């Protein structure tokens, strides 16, 4: 229990509106929070820091359910820590999103009949900045709708002045440490975006192509190769076989004729070739395949580029100017005419890489690019997790992380774009290469030019945890808030972003990790588990749901599905259910305020409380402890579920209902229960606030007169437990639940009153008779009372007069069916527990579960037999 309620000034309670309307509360409430500076962190504070940096959304983006999901969880973490007394910083910002943003502006230009080349580089970049100011950052306003408690005073952009300085600084350091180099290698090339893209920006899918087998050479000096990219044969510079393959020993070292060309190519022996796969001979095209490139390097083969940047063939007359796919069929046709096609398989399903942004088929291409030598950086990133400096949650996701960092290839960081951080390398007229740092003047004079490429977007976002805090300057923010505490992000960008931040953070910050915990989430899916996408009709705009049901309802639904690392299904019906929950909180608090709930004065002594009061306070403290444990373990679904059932079931459905007779009677006991109810509501609203901030703040300020829950105190478990009271109320719940079930089975309406005799003497139920009668709509027995049904439960007896309301034959039939089901369950459980072979193999928890089923079956049989005995004879 919290003592803060006692310290808060109490304002006169104004009556709440009869209905909760989120639209009338959320917008104005958020602006008040922001204006008051509740989310602004103080680097000079002596409070312990707690830092989360937001995964920067693309400047082109708008709020989608994936954003809403992760933002809800980050906001909940930050709000709780702020309430716990931490100097909490949740730092917002956006990514310049090189390819995506450039594409947006190029599309605008195309509508005007222009291209970026018509404008030139400088004017085009200025046009992109104009687009960013006009259209970029829509998501930031939408984050306010969701309730994101971010520090807007520290908002950053990956191309702002400070972050640009960080990019230039780390590039120069890496370059001088020989961890950045320029080399001609095979890269993934997008003929639509006209730029290199990294391995992790390639999406693979099964495409229907064709596999053709082609005979190279003549007679005994011939062999067969198979390919799905027949057009690339025009760039072949060898055929490779395994050195131990007996079939081709006579050909190794010989030259054979390359069909459709005037060239001969050698047959080379290379252990990369699998002699058991296909014919055991592979064509080697070093300029258009990464494996072939490595074979070419080992055997000093020439690399012959046959396509331009658009994927158009640039060699060999008959095919010159053809698109790569058109050339594919044309080359196969020409080979058929020469009788070179040995076999064809169509359709041939195989994995093909596509650009993750535009979905164009990626073309492996030999190109001069800039690279990061990741070996030592990736090792450091792996070691930081292995030695426990960084925890990955859930732990089983660590394997995916290690699979990546332990096997990482050098990272191609140059992009053939104009929008982004331009590579700070200048080339001189005599072959000079100069790397220019942020505070250095570039070389001038005739013949000096800057590299035309820009850096991969992930290069700058990899600096995000420390560049946003002012690095490379040693700022107050950097000293106070670095390392950050937790990175909460989707498991799908472990490779894109998480590993990059780990490598750069450890390198730039002298071995300091960028965050202590990596909390990985799954992806949001529709209610049937299908992936949501804009191209599918299942895609949902979260703003539509916020308009219809309120932001709190959307937030609670997302948190309630957030099991660590697991995908999150979500449907509109679940959001409606969460809306009902916020309405329930509103209505119950309104009832409580109207019936004397208060936070004034200290809590009464336990000796002054009823068992019902002690029970709810005991359950309250248990819930506080559970919620704390779930937060510390990032178990958002469990904490949301625990809060839902405590608030709805135990507080609103049981405690409030059990206490109504007390409130209606008035007097000292009503005063005591009013103070207990005020305490319970105060703490419950605090516990709920990080997940559903709007409705809880509106209610809490009305209840307590406090300024805002945003700066309220997080409740602590006082240690108060009363197991006797919990057992006593459990008995009451059993009686009420059993009789309600009986009433429902009999078809009685909820409000229908029934005469009843309650035999409660000698049990813990006796003090609760009035409440039991109120909850069950049971009238005093009165004159002429005849017990037509007797229900023994929890050591007591409830006798009901159902004259004229019960179908005795139907009730006997129902009970007989229940009895048969319970006896069958008992027989099955006994059979398993009597099977020695089963008991020897079954885990202890399985055996315990079956024993529990047996005990439940015995209890059900006893209950039904007594109910049958209590029915009147026909």
């Amino acid at each position: 229990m919290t003592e803060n309620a006692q310290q808060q000034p109490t304002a006169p309670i104004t009556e709440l509106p009869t209905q909760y309307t989120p639209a009338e509360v959320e917008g104005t409430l958020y602006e008040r929070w922001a204006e008051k500076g509740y989310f602004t962190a103080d680097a000079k504070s002596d409070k312990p820091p707690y830092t989360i940096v937001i995964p920067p959304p693309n400047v082109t983006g708008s709020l989608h359910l994936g954003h809403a999901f992760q933002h809800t969880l980050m906001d909940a973490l930050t709000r709780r820590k702020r309430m716990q007394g931490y100097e909490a910083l949740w730092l917002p910002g956006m990514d310049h999103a090189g390819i995506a943003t450039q594409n947006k502006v190029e599309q605008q230009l195309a509508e005007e009949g222009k291209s970026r080349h018509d404008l030139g580089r400088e004017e085009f970049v200025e046009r992109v900045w104009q687009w960013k100011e006009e259209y970029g950052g829509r998501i930031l306003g939408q984050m306010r709708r969701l309730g994101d408690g971010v520090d807007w005073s520290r908002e950053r952009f990956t191309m702002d002045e400070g972050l640009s300085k960080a990019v230039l600084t780390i590039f120069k350091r890496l370059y001088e440490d020989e961890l950045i180099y320029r080399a001609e290698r095979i890269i993934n090339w997008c003929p639509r975006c006209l730029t290199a893209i990294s391995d992790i920006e390639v999406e693979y899918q099964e495409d229907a192509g064709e596999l053709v087998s082609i005979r190279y050479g003549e007679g005994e000096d011939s062999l067969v190769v198979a390919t799905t990219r027949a057009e690339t044969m025009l760039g072949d510079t060898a055929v490779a076989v395994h050195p131990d393959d007996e079939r081709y020993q006579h050909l190794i070292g010989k030259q054979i004729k390359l069909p459709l060309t005037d060239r001969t190519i050698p047959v080379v022996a290379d252990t990369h070739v699998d002699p058991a796969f296909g014919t055991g001979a592979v064509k080697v095209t070093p300029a258009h395949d990464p494996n072939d490139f490595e074979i070419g390097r080992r055997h000093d083969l020439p690399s012959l580029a046959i396509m331009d940047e658009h994927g158009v063939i640039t060699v060999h007359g008959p095919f010159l100017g053809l698109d790569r796919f058109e050339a594919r069929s044309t080359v196969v046709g020409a080979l058929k005419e020469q009788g070179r096609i040995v076999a064809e398989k169509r359709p041939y399903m195989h994995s093909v890489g596509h650009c993750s942004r535009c979905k164009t088929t990626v073309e492996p291409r030999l190109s001069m690019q800039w690279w990061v030598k990741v070996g030592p950086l990736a090792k450091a990133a792996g070691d930081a997790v292995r030695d426990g400096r960084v925890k990955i949650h859930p732990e089983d996701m660590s394997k995916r992380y290690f699979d990546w960092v332990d096997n990482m290839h050098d990272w191609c960081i140059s992009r053939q774009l104009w929008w982004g951080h331009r590579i700070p390398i200048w080339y001189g007229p005599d072959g000079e290469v100069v790397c220019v740092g942020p505070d250095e003047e570039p070389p001038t004079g005739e013949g000096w030019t800057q590299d035309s490429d820009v850096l991969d977007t992930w290069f700058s976002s990899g600096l995000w945890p420390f560049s946003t805090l002012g690095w490379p300057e040693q700022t107050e923010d950097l000293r106070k808030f670095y390392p950050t505490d937790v990175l909460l992000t989707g498991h799908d960008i472990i490779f894109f972003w998480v590993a990059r931040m780990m490598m750069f953070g450890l390198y730039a910050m002298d071995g300091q990790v960028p965050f202590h915990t990596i909390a990985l989430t799954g992806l949001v899916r529709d209610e049937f588990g299908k992936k949501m996408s804009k191209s599918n009709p299942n895609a949902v705009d979260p703003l539509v749901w916020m308009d219809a049901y309120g932001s709190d309802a959307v937030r609670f639904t997302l948190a309630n599905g957030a099991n660590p690392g697991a995908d999150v299904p979500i449907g509109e019906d679940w959001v409606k259910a969460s809306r009902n929950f916020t309405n329930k909180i509103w209505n119950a608090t309104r009832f409580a305020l109207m019936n004397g709930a208060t936070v004034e004065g200290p809590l009464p002594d336990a000796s002054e409380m009823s068992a019902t009061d002690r029970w709810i306070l005991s359950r309250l403290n248990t819930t506080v402890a559970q919620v704390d444990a779930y937060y510390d373990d990032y178990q958002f679904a469990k904490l949301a579920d625990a809060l839902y059932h405590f608030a709805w079931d135990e507080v609103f459905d049981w405690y409030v209902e059990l206490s109504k007779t007390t409130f209606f009677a008035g007097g000292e006991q009503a005063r005591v229960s009013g103070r207990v109810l005020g305490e319970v509501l105060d703490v419950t609203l605090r516990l709920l606030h990080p997940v559903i901030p709007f409705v809880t703040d509106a209610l809490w300020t009305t209840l307590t007169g406090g300024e805002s829950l945003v700066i309220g105190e997080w409740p602590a478990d006082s240690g108060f437990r009363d197991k006797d009271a919990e057992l006593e109320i459990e008995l009451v719940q059993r009686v009420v639940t059993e009789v309600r079930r009986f009433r429902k089975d009999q078809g009685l309406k909820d409000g229908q009153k029934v005469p009843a005799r309650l035999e409660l003497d000698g049990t813990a139920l006796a003090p609760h008779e009035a409440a039991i009668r109120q909850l069950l709509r049971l009238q005093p027995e009165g004159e002429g009372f005849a017990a037509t049904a007797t229900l023994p439960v929890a050591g007591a007896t409830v006798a009901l007069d159902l004259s004229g309301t019960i179908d005795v034959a139907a009730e006997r039939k129902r009970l007989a069916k229940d009895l048969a089901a319970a006896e069958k369950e008992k027989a099955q459980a006994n059979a398993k527990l009597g099977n020695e072979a089963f008991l020897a193999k079954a885990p202890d928890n399985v055996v315990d579960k079956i024993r529990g089923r047996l005990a439940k079956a015995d209890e059900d049989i006893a209950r039904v037999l007594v109910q049958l005995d209590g029915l009147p004879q026909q």
Side-chain angles (χ1 to χ4, degrees):
M1 290 173 284
T2 177
E3 296 179 1
N4 198 48
Q6 299 167 222
Q7 300 164 0
Q8 293 285 358
T10 305
I13 292 175
T14 57
E15 185 175 336
L16 289 166
T18 56
Q19 188 174 10
Y20 176 52
T21 308
E24 295 178 2
V25 173
E26 294 179 348
T28 55
L29 192 53
Y30 186 88
E31 291 311 313
R32 178 175 175 271
W33 293 337
E35 288 169 8
K36 289 282 189 178
Y38 294 154
F39 307 137
T40 304
D42 182 2
K44 297 179 181 179
S45 165
D46 58 3
K47 295 178 181 178
Y50 182 81
T51 316
I52 296 179
V53 290
I54 203 167
N58 286 354
V59 69
T60 59
S62 59
L63 189 72
H64 57 65
L65 273 174
H67 289 129
F69 170 54
Q70 292 182 359
H71 288 205
T72 293
L73 305 188
M74 285 184 278
D75 195 33
L77 290 172
T78 311
R79 285 177 181 270
R80 172 176 173 256
K81 286 296 183 180
R82 186 180 294 114
M83 293 174 74
Q84 286 182 316
Y86 287 79
E87 195 62 46
L89 169 61
W90 185 21
L91 193 148
M94 292 183 299
D95 192 284
H96 65 278
I99 296 177
T101 307
Q102 178 157 323
N103 282 347
K104 288 278 188 183
V105 178
E106 289 198 81
Q107 288 166 14
Q108 274 191 346
L109 290 174
E111 293 171 4
E112 301 170 12
K114 298 177 182 178
S115 74
R116 59 177 163 136
H117 300 286
D118 294 321
L119 274 65
R121 182 169 193 142
E122 187 174 334
E123 189 177 341
F124 176 78
V125 171
E126 180 58 34
R127 179 74 175 257
V128 181
W129 276 109
Q130 292 173 8
W131 182 93
K132 186 260 182 186
E133 293 304 316
E134 185 173 356
Y135 299 103
R138 286 172 298 170
I139 195 171
L140 297 177
Q142 295 163 348
M143 286 163 57
R144 301 172 90 92
R145 281 287 314 277
L146 186 64
D148 284 7
V150 296
D151 184 345
W152 293 109
S153 72
R154 287 179 166 87
E155 180 193 335
R156 303 306 300 266
F157 179 53
T158 50
M159 284 187 62
D160 68 28
E161 184 178 351
L163 270 65
S164 295
K165 181 176 182 179
V167 168
L168 295 176
T169 300
I170 201 163
F171 186 98
K172 186 171 178 67
R173 289 189 187 180
L174 289 164
Y175 180 80
E176 290 179 345
D177 285 344
E178 298 183 349
L179 293 173
I180 283 182
Y181 64 95
R182 191 171 186 238
E184 192 174 42
R185 299 277 179 82
I186 292 286
I187 47 90
N188 305 297
W189 181 264
C190 176
R192 160 63 183 80
C193 298
L194 297 179
T195 182
I197 58 176
S198 65
D199 291 345
I200 51 180
E201 293 170 299
V202 178
E203 293 178 348
Y204 288 90
Q205 65 184 47
E206 290 292 308
D207 284 0
E210 67 173 340
L211 180 69
V212 294
S213 298
I214 310 167
R215 181 176 298 281
Y216 286 14
E218 305 293 342
E220 290 186 359
D221 290 345
S222 69
L223 36 67
V224 175
V225 299
T227 181
T228 58
R229 301 163 66 215
E231 72 283 3
T232 63
M233 68 159 292
L234 301 173
D236 285 359
T237 55
V239 173
V241 297
H242 193 277
D244 298 331
D245 194 331
E246 294 294 336
R247 294 170 293 178
Y248 302 117
Q249 290 297 311
H250 67 292
L251 287 176
I252 294 173
K254 285 188 175 181
Q255 296 279 326
I256 59 172
K257 182 76 164 52
L258 179 65
L260 305 183
T261 73
D262 296 326
R263 295 189 291 119
T264 60
I265 57 175
V267 177
V268 299
D270 197 282
T271 55
H272 171 76
V273 180
D274 180 0
F277 184 78
T279 64
V282 297
K283 57 190 289 298
V284 182
T285 321
H288 293 279
D289 182 275
N291 292 322
D292 293 2
F293 176 76
E294 295 301 327
I295 293 175
R297 290 178 69 181
R298 287 193 289 272
H299 297 276
D300 199 24
L301 300 173
S303 294
L304 178 61
I306 63 162
M307 292 181 210
D308 67 10
E309 60 187 7
H310 298 281
V312 173
I313 301 299
T314 57
V315 298
H316 205 65
F319 312 106
L320 186 66
L322 295 180
D323 172 79
R324 54 185 169 154
F325 299 118
E326 185 182 4
R328 184 170 300 170
S329 58
T330 305
V331 165
V332 171
L335 289 168
K336 283 182 179 178
E337 288 181 6
Q338 292 188 4
R340 293 284 179 177
I341 299 296
V342 175
E344 290 182 88
K345 186 175 182 181
R346 186 187 302 114
Y348 178 72
M349 301 304 296
H350 62 129
S351 182
V352 177
H354 296 259
C355 174
S356 62
R357 290 177 178 82
C358 70
K359 311 310 176 186
T360 300
T361 299
V362 168
E363 191 65 39
R365 185 169 186 250
L366 185 63
S367 179
M368 182 68 77
Q369 301 285 344
W370 286 93
W371 304 80
V372 172
K373 186 185 295 183
V374 300
L377 303 174
K379 182 182 184 304
D383 290 345
V385 174
R386 287 189 169 93
D387 64 25
R389 283 175 288 155
V390 177
K391 304 287 186 185
I392 292 181
H393 188 87
E395 191 176 352
D396 58 11
M397 285 282 178
S398 298
K399 183 179 184 301
R400 296 187 66 183
Y401 176 80
F402 291 131
D403 284 348
W404 179 250
V405 297
D406 292 348
N407 301 285
M408 196 182 297
H409 301 297
D410 282 2
W411 172 19
C412 177
I413 56 171
S414 45
R415 298 291 180 268
Q416 288 65 56
L417 304 171
W418 287 355
W419 172 245
H421 295 100
R422 193 165 176 181
I423 289 176
I425 295 289
W426 269 256
Y427 304 107
D430 297 318
E432 302 96 332
V433 178
V434 176
C435 180
V436 178
D439 300 316
E440 300 171 351
E441 291 295 326
T444 58
E446 187 176 348
W448 282 93
T449 58
Q450 185 178 0
D451 196 296
S452 60
D453 290 349
V454 301
L455 287 163
D456 178 10
T457 295
W458 297 103
F459 189 94
S460 52
S461 59
L463 315 180
W464 191 251
F466 51 95
S467 63
T468 51
L469 296 172
W471 186 90
E473 307 302 328
Q474 292 303 307
T475 63
E476 283 188 329
D477 278 2
L478 193 63
R479 286 191 292 270
K480 176 74 173 180
F481 296 112
Y482 190 89
T484 67
D485 286 87
V486 59
L487 171 72
L488 189 144
T489 191
H491 61 64
D492 57 322
I493 59 171
I494 290 178
F495 319 129
F496 288 92
W497 191 44
V498 178
R500 311 299 194 206
M501 287 188 290
M502 286 287 284
M503 292 192 302
F504 281 168
L506 290 161
Y507 173 79
M509 298 300 295
D510 299 321
Q512 275 192 303
V513 297
F515 22 73
H516 297 300
T517 301
I518 301 169
L520 296 171
T521 69
L523 308 179
V524 177
R525 297 184 177 274
D526 71 11
E527 58 193 303
F528 306 107
K530 294 181 179 178
K531 183 178 179 180
M532 288 188 179
S533 69
K534 293 179 182 177
S535 59
N536 290 337
N538 66 351
V540 174
D541 181 351
L543 296 171
V544 173
W545 281 353
M546 288 184 209
D547 289 340
Y549 308 112
S551 298
D552 280 335
V554 174
R555 289 170 63 114
F556 192 81
T557 306
L558 291 164
N560 206 28
N563 289 299
D567 288 349
V568 183
I570 185 172
E572 188 168 8
D573 286 345
W574 304 342
V575 184
K576 289 179 182 178
S578 295
R579 184 271 317 273
N580 295 342
F581 180 48
T582 60
N583 286 344
K584 182 78 170 181
I585 298 168
W586 184 271
N587 293 333
T589 304
R590 182 172 177 273
F591 167 85
L593 290 171
M594 293 169 61
N595 287 274
T598 180
V599 296
E600 286 192 71
L603 271 176
D605 188 78
S607 62
E608 300 177 58
M609 299 179 190
S610 67
T612 307
D613 294 334
R614 298 193 308 275
W615 162 74
I616 196 62
L617 289 175
S618 183
R619 292 295 307 132
L620 176 67
N621 279 285
T622 297
T623 302
V624 170
Q626 285 179 332
V627 169
D628 275 333
Y630 290 145
Y631 262 115
D632 292 341
D633 199 33
Y634 304 98
Q635 297 279 358
F636 295 99
K638 289 183 178 180
L639 72 87
D641 186 67
L643 286 169
Y644 176 90
H645 288 293
F646 174 72
W648 191 308
D649 299 345
E650 297 189 280
V651 179
F652 305 143
D653 277 359
W654 283 109
Y655 180 71
V656 170
E657 294 299 322
L658 286 170
S659 300
K660 278 183 177 179
T661 54
T662 300
F663 290 132
F664 295 159
E668 178 60 18
Q669 191 56 54
R671 184 195 68 78
V672 170
S673 292
R675 179 64 188 89
V676 170
L677 179 54
E679 179 75 9
V680 171
L681 286 175
D682 174 25
V683 174
T684 301
L685 292 171
R686 292 171 192 264
L687 291 173
L688 285 164
H689 175 74
V691 178
I692 48 174
F694 293 108
V695 67
T696 52
D697 198 48
L699 292 172
W700 184 85
T701 52
T702 303
L703 171 70
T704 69
E707 183 180 343
S708 174
L709 257 184
V710 180
I711 55 171
E713 182 182 336
W714 183 254
D717 175 9
S718 71
F720 178 84
R721 302 289 191 278
D722 192 326
K723 292 299 179 185
D724 291 339
E726 291 193 35
L727 291 171
E728 186 171 322
I729 301 305
E730 283 177 16
L731 294 177
V732 175
Q733 291 171 325
R734 284 177 58 192
V735 170
V736 172
T737 301
E738 190 61 41
V739 176
R740 278 177 174 167
R741 188 175 79 159
F742 179 79
R743 287 176 57 107
K744 183 178 180 180
D745 289 342
Q746 296 308 306
L748 297 178
K749 295 179 180 177
D750 290 343
Q752 186 173 348
K753 295 183 178 181
V754 177
R757 179 191 305 127
L758 273 60
E759 298 175 7
L760 308 177
D761 291 345
T763 73
L765 295 166
H768 303 282
E769 180 170 353
I772 292 172
R773 285 186 177 276
Q774 170 72 22
L775 288 168
L776 292 172
R777 307 292 189 270
L778 301 180
Q779 294 177 317
E781 48 194 285
E783 189 175 344
F785 176 82
T788 59
T790 303
L791 304 176
V793 59
T797 302
V798 179
L800 305 173
D801 183 352
L802 301 176
S803 303
T805 64
I806 183 171
D807 183 337
V808 176
E811 178 61 9
R812 283 191 178 278
K813 184 175 180 181
R814 183 190 71 80
L815 289 172
K817 184 177 179 181
D818 288 352
L819 181 63
E823 288 175 337
K824 181 179 179 181
E825 177 73 3
K826 178 179 180 178
Q828 290 176 340
N830 274 326
K832 286 190 175 181
L833 293 174
N835 185 334
E836 294 297 333
F838 170 79
L839 293 176
K841 294 180 180 179
D844 291 344
N845 65 316
V846 173
V847 175
D848 289 343
K849 186 175 180 180
I850 294 171
R851 287 187 178 126
R853 284 168 49 191
L854 177 60
K856 177 68 167 53
D858 282 334
E859 182 181 322
D860 289 345
I861 290 169
R863 173 178 54 77
V864 173
L865 288 173
V866 172
Q867 288 179 320
L868 282 168
D869 187 57
L871 289 175
Q873 299 298 315
Q874 292 179 301

